[in-house]
Amino acid sequence: MEKPAAATAARSRFVVWLHGLGDSGRANEPVAGYAFAGARWAFPTAPTAPVTCNRGARMPSWFDIHDTPITSKSVRGEEDLLRSVQGVHEMIDREISAGTSPEDVFVFGLSQGGALSIASVLLYPKTLGGCAVFSGFLPFASSFASRVTAEAKKTPVLWIHGRADFLVPIEAGQDGTKFLRGIGMSCEFKVPERLPLQFGSW
């Protein structure tokens, strides 16, 4: 895991990358070569826990998933999600305390990690540089909207979703984008024909 930047260090971007269900942070480290040259990346690994949709098998998981494919009607359990959000917030807080500007902090994630990334950004009390969700989903009910901070709503979101994802169908991404725009956030939705994608002006 990356160490916080020294307070006197030159301005640089810090990216937290959150892996998908059953994966690990270390296995995702090559992602750092695709964008944000010169940025510092952190690749945490989720704790090992039983996952309901996989018949209780234990694996790295940010929070429990009850069923697949993920839809707007899927069961949403928030307790372990919020524990993982707290962990992401602690990483961000350490960076900001060490001198990194919030606008230089980015949270990216794939699938389950994408769901955690958007939840972490929405509950953070400051505006961050951006959030990128790759084939993710909203891990909470619509009532969650009342908990989103005004500063968090200013964080731009890039949502990328593949057409052939059967575990997290593209409709989940479209629903997520609709929710974010509905609460006044800037969210760009992209369906790639091929990878890698560029991260726009970030």
Side-chain angles (χ1 to χ4, degrees):
M1 187 178 296
E2 290 281 349
K3 296 180 180 180
T8 57
R11 174 176 174 176
S12 63
R13 290 167 169 165
F14 175 71
V15 183
V16 179
W17 176 273
L18 303 169
H19 65 77
L21 179 65
D23 208 345
S24 71
R26 184 163 188 171
N28 282 250
E29 289 179 359
V31 171
Y34 284 98
F36 281 32
R40 293 173 300 104
W41 292 68
F43 294 89
T45 295
T48 298
V51 178
T52 301
C53 70
N54 287 340
R55 300 182 179 180
R58 295 178 60 83
M59 62 189 65
S61 177
W62 299 111
F63 53 88
D64 196 17
I65 296 178
H66 292 262
D67 51 30
T68 56
I70 302 292
T71 71
S72 60
K73 296 180 181 180
S74 295
V75 175
R76 304 290 199 246
E78 293 185 0
E79 186 175 347
D80 49 351
L81 166 67
L82 294 177
R83 279 197 295 269
S84 289
V85 166
Q86 181 179 2
V88 175
H89 285 183
E90 288 171 355
M91 294 179 65
I92 295 172
D93 288 343
R94 285 195 297 270
E95 286 297 318
I96 293 175
S97 294
T100 302
S101 170
E103 67 186 35
D104 291 322
V105 174
F106 298 79
V107 186
F108 298 167
L110 171 66
S111 194
Q112 188 192 44
L116 176 58
S117 70
I118 194 62
S120 298
V121 166
L122 293 181
L123 288 177
Y124 199 69
K126 298 179 181 179
T127 304
L128 301 178
C131 175
V133 181
F134 295 86
S135 291
F137 56 93
L138 295 178
F140 44 75
S142 59
S143 59
F144 189 90
S146 63
R147 304 172 65 177
V148 181
T149 68
E151 291 301 311
K153 291 180 181 179
K154 300 176 186 177
T155 301
V157 178
L158 173 62
W159 198 305
I160 299 168
H161 215 107
R163 296 185 188 278
D165 192 325
F166 299 107
L167 294 178
V168 187
I170 193 170
E171 289 78 13
Q174 293 168 334
D175 288 344
T177 300
K178 182 179 179 180
F179 171 85
L180 296 178
R181 291 173 178 169
I183 61 174
M185 294 186 70
S186 172
C187 181
E188 182 179 4
F189 186 74
K190 290 187 176 183
V191 180
E193 297 302 325
R194 60 185 179 85
L195 293 176
L197 283 173
Q198 298 299 316
F199 290 95
S201 60
W202 294 352

